[in-house]
Amino acid sequence: LDDSALTAKTDEFRRRAGEGESPEDLMSEVFAVVRETARRTLDMRHFDVQLIGGMVLYEGKIAEMRTGEGKTLVATLPAYLTAVCGGTVHVVTVNDYLASRDHELMAPLAARLGLSNAVMTTDTTDEEKQATYDVDILYSTNKIYVFDHLRDKREKRQSDGAIPRQMGQAFAI
């Protein structure tokens, strides 16, 4: 496929998922599109073992990887699959530096695939957070996600008119 046909696969996958095709049925094609787009956009190619890691993560299991083995790249596989099937994805890390770095590295891939993406750090204001939570793939820290969740619960109890930062359930990696 040329670049535009590869990007158009996102709309096709969303349509097929909307018509009832399961993520598991789409997985091989979706992963192939991510792999090829990563090669063209980032000059990175998922190794076979990384594709297996993506499957493991999508199933909600733990894929242990050492430093330098490509965790950031592997996360793009289940993130894209979940996003095209209508879910929101939260990529969780331990500090602002890693969240920003991972987002900066992978944002061109998500953008090329037609997905909205953002990073949320401790510097993100409450006003910015609402729009930030609306993206397909969001990179942030465990601390931010947990405290926003707790604030949402507290505000919901205090006022029925409060708008929660975290809408619905998200797929977390």
Side-chain angles (χ1 to χ4, degrees):
L1 300 174
D2 66 15
D3 288 346
S4 62
L6 202 58
T7 300
K9 291 298 260 180
T10 297
D11 289 334
E12 177 190 328
F13 293 143
R14 285 183 166 153
R15 178 187 52 76
R16 288 168 56 189
E19 292 171 354
E21 201 164 339
S22 75
E24 292 76 13
D25 291 338
L26 292 169
M27 187 179 290
S28 295
E29 281 183 80
V30 164
F31 280 21
V33 167
V34 174
R35 184 185 215 182
E36 182 60 22
T37 305
R39 187 187 66 74
R40 295 181 193 184
T41 306
L42 307 173
D43 198 26
M44 296 179 179
R45 184 179 184 276
H46 297 82
F47 292 106
D48 292 348
V49 70
Q50 291 173 316
L51 294 171
I52 294 167
M55 291 177 219
V56 168
L57 289 176
Y58 181 77
E59 293 172 355
K61 298 177 182 168
I62 296 171
E64 184 176 351
M65 299 173 71
R66 294 181 185 188
T67 300
E69 290 185 336
K71 292 180 285 294
T72 303
L73 186 61
V74 168
T76 61
L77 298 161
Y80 180 63
L81 177 60
T82 301
V84 297
C85 290
T88 300
V89 181
H90 293 173
V91 181
V92 185
T93 190
V94 295
N95 60 48
D96 283 350
Y97 166 77
L98 290 173
S100 296
R101 182 205 67 181
D102 291 356
H103 173 257
E104 185 177 321
L105 286 170
M106 297 302 137
L109 175 61
R112 184 93 176 262
L113 290 167
L115 299 178
S116 59
N117 64 95
V119 63
M120 186 168 29
T121 65
T122 52
D123 295 333
T124 305
T125 66
D126 282 343
E127 293 77 31
E128 295 168 328
K129 281 185 179 183
Q130 189 60 50
T132 305
Y133 271 114
D134 290 337
V135 300
D136 294 313
I137 302 172
L138 177 60
Y139 290 82
S140 194
T141 66
N142 50 357
K143 180 179 177 181
I144 289 172
Y145 288 127
V146 168
F147 280 105
D148 282 355
H149 176 75
L150 293 173
R151 271 189 225 105
D152 286 350
K153 291 281 192 193
R154 183 190 69 217
E155 289 172 6
K156 190 173 182 180
R157 272 186 259 140
Q158 290 176 355
S159 165
D160 290 333
I163 299 171
R165 290 171 189 80
Q166 298 175 354
M167 302 299 286
Q169 297 294 314
F171 182 81
I173 301 173

